[in-house]
Amino acid sequence: MSAWLWIALAALAAWLWLLLGQGFFWRTDITLPRRRDPERWPSVAVVVPARDEAEVLPRSLPSLLTQDYPGRAEIFLVDDGSADGTGALARRLATELGGLRLTVTSPGEPGRGWTGKLWAVRHGMALARERTGADYLLLTDADIAHEPDSLRELVRAATTHDLDLVSQMARLRVATFWERLIVPAFVYFFAQLYPFRWVNAGHRAAAAGGCALLRVAAAERAGVPGSIRQAVIDDVALARAVRRSGGRIWLGLAERVDSVRPYPRLGQLWRMVSRSAYAQLRHQPLLLVLTVAGLAVVYLVPPVATVAGLVTGEGALPAVGGAAWLIMAGSYLPMLRHYRQSWWWAPLLPVTAALYLLMTVDSAVQHGRGRGAWKGRTYGRPAPER
């Protein structure tokens, strides 16, 4: 057999294993578990880190202000050095709409060793504990819009199953060509790395930072956010800290929680992915090389082998490559349906994977220059996550 055929067989074997042995990551039926009303509705403090979010706040903040929650709930929006009037806009929206009480605060200049939005989260959590003595914290990004019953259903799930951390992967916006090509695959690849079933069974630790309900007692046991202050991928680091301290976590797809942030151009999506891709590899060059090679074999070899085999007429090569490509596309269909996208995007997954490969390499290049960025703020190399 030719070398190409051996490589194509390796790709096919990899896809058979991914399909059946990786926690059925491709399924999209992991949503909030069955739940019931608690005997007493716990108090909740909603913490929203915000930096230059005036564009999205009119579509996201009203959904928090108008939450239909039977217990006590209060919102703390942390305006982290915005230059676009984020704080003033939030106050105006709260005055016009009423609803839950809103406090807008500022965390000041970041402390040494704090990366990304965690300094703002720290300030919001501390203020919430001081003023409300809340039982739970809802950590949600400024671009996330919630249905009126979102908080109530999160609390019901947490109290019914005695969970310390309940997080939902918000449905990201998919409207432009680049969003359709890249966004569903972003969630697909995340689920491949952290199969939701494995997370919920206790075999992995991961969370979705855009919508995470955290028990205050669990946060104190885990020492968060201080214990994860250098984490670039803060949601996964949060889940690991809670799990290490003995907490129970749950992760799934959201049905009624959506991101309203637009990513109309490739460059915006590129920055979103490359900001943290190399951190996912623990900033290890060997892991980068292995990841690039793995992505190439698993995602790029099947279509290349199929086309090359058809052109050269090389025996079983197009059949093997085509089988791997078919399994790949088929495993992507549930995520496309979740995002209400056409099936014909599925065969283009190798193109998307090639873009993610380049984004990962670019992430390593940016790290090599000694800096990363969050919302326009640059910071030095963080310590490796453990």
Side-chain angles (χ1 to χ4, degrees), residues 65-366:
L65 292 168
T66 57
Q67 280 297 299
D68 179 18
Y69 183 64
R72 181 186 175 190
E74 186 172 342
I75 304 170
F76 295 85
L77 186 140
V78 186
D79 183 7
D80 190 9
S82 299
D84 65 350
T86 289
L89 174 59
R91 292 186 183 94
R92 187 170 75 249
L93 289 170
T95 299
E96 293 173 354
L97 297 172
L100 299 184
R101 180 181 177 183
L102 172 72
T103 297
V104 177
T105 183
S106 174
E109 286 300 311
R112 185 174 181 180
W114 290 79
T115 61
K117 64 186 179 185
L118 285 171
W119 178 251
V121 171
R122 171 192 176 276
H123 182 77
M125 288 175 62
L127 189 61
R129 290 171 183 170
E130 174 187 333
R131 292 194 181 178
T132 68
D135 301 299
Y136 287 88
L137 298 163
L138 175 62
L139 308 178
T140 184
D141 290 343
D143 64 306
I144 302 298
H146 296 254
E147 290 295 327
D149 62 351
S150 174
L151 178 57
R152 185 173 71 242
E153 296 307 312
L154 284 166
V155 170
R156 291 180 72 211
T159 55
T160 300
H161 300 278
D162 192 27
L163 297 167
D164 294 291
L165 176 63
V166 179
S167 63
Q168 293 181 291
M169 179 69 71
R171 198 189 306 263
L172 306 178
R173 198 189 89 137
V174 175
T176 67
F177 169 82
W178 291 113
E179 288 171 340
R180 290 188 173 97
L181 182 66
I182 292 175
V183 167
F186 177 82
V187 183
Y188 173 88
F189 291 142
F190 182 89
Q192 193 175 92
L193 284 172
Y194 304 104
F196 296 166
R197 281 176 172 77
W198 286 2
V199 170
N200 299 337
H203 306 314
R204 290 279 176 91
C211 177
L213 184 74
L214 174 64
R215 199 198 306 258
V216 169
E220 292 173 349
R221 285 198 309 270
V224 297
S227 62
I228 60 171
R229 62 185 178 276
Q230 294 181 322
V232 176
I233 309 175
D234 50 83
D235 45 10
V236 174
L238 170 63
R240 288 173 177 168
V242 172
R243 174 65 58 74
R244 280 197 301 265
S245 65
R248 299 183 62 208
I249 65 177
W250 183 93
L251 169 65
L253 292 172
E255 296 176 303
R256 293 157 65 77
V257 179
D258 301 280
S259 172
V260 297
R261 191 183 306 284
Y263 292 100
R265 295 183 293 276
L266 175 60
Q268 295 166 308
L269 288 160
W270 191 288
R271 286 189 293 274
M272 178 188 76
V273 175
S274 65
R275 182 183 70 85
S276 59
Y278 194 41
Q280 181 65 57
L281 302 177
R282 303 178 185 176
H283 306 113
Q284 297 295 320
L286 178 59
L287 287 179
L288 174 66
V289 172
L290 294 175
T291 297
V292 169
L295 285 172
V297 171
V298 174
Y299 286 97
L300 305 187
V301 164
V304 170
T306 302
V307 174
L310 291 173
V311 170
T312 62
E314 186 179 338
L317 185 59
V320 174
W325 195 0
L326 183 63
I327 294 172
M328 179 198 316
S331 72
Y332 192 36
L333 286 175
M335 189 61 69
L336 289 173
R337 285 197 294 269
H338 176 72
Y339 274 92
R340 306 181 183 97
Q341 298 302 302
S342 172
W343 66 268
W344 63 264
W345 290 98
L348 296 180
L349 186 57
V351 176
T352 308
L355 289 172
Y356 273 87
L357 186 156
L358 295 175
M359 293 173 192
T360 303
V361 172
D362 182 58
S363 180
V365 171
Q366 293 301 318

Side-chain angles (χ1 to χ4, degrees), residues 6-24:
W6 278 113
I7 296 173
L9 284 169
L12 177 58
W15 274 109
L16 288 171
W17 179 81
L18 286 170
L19 186 69
L20 302 175
Q22 188 66 5
F24 296 101

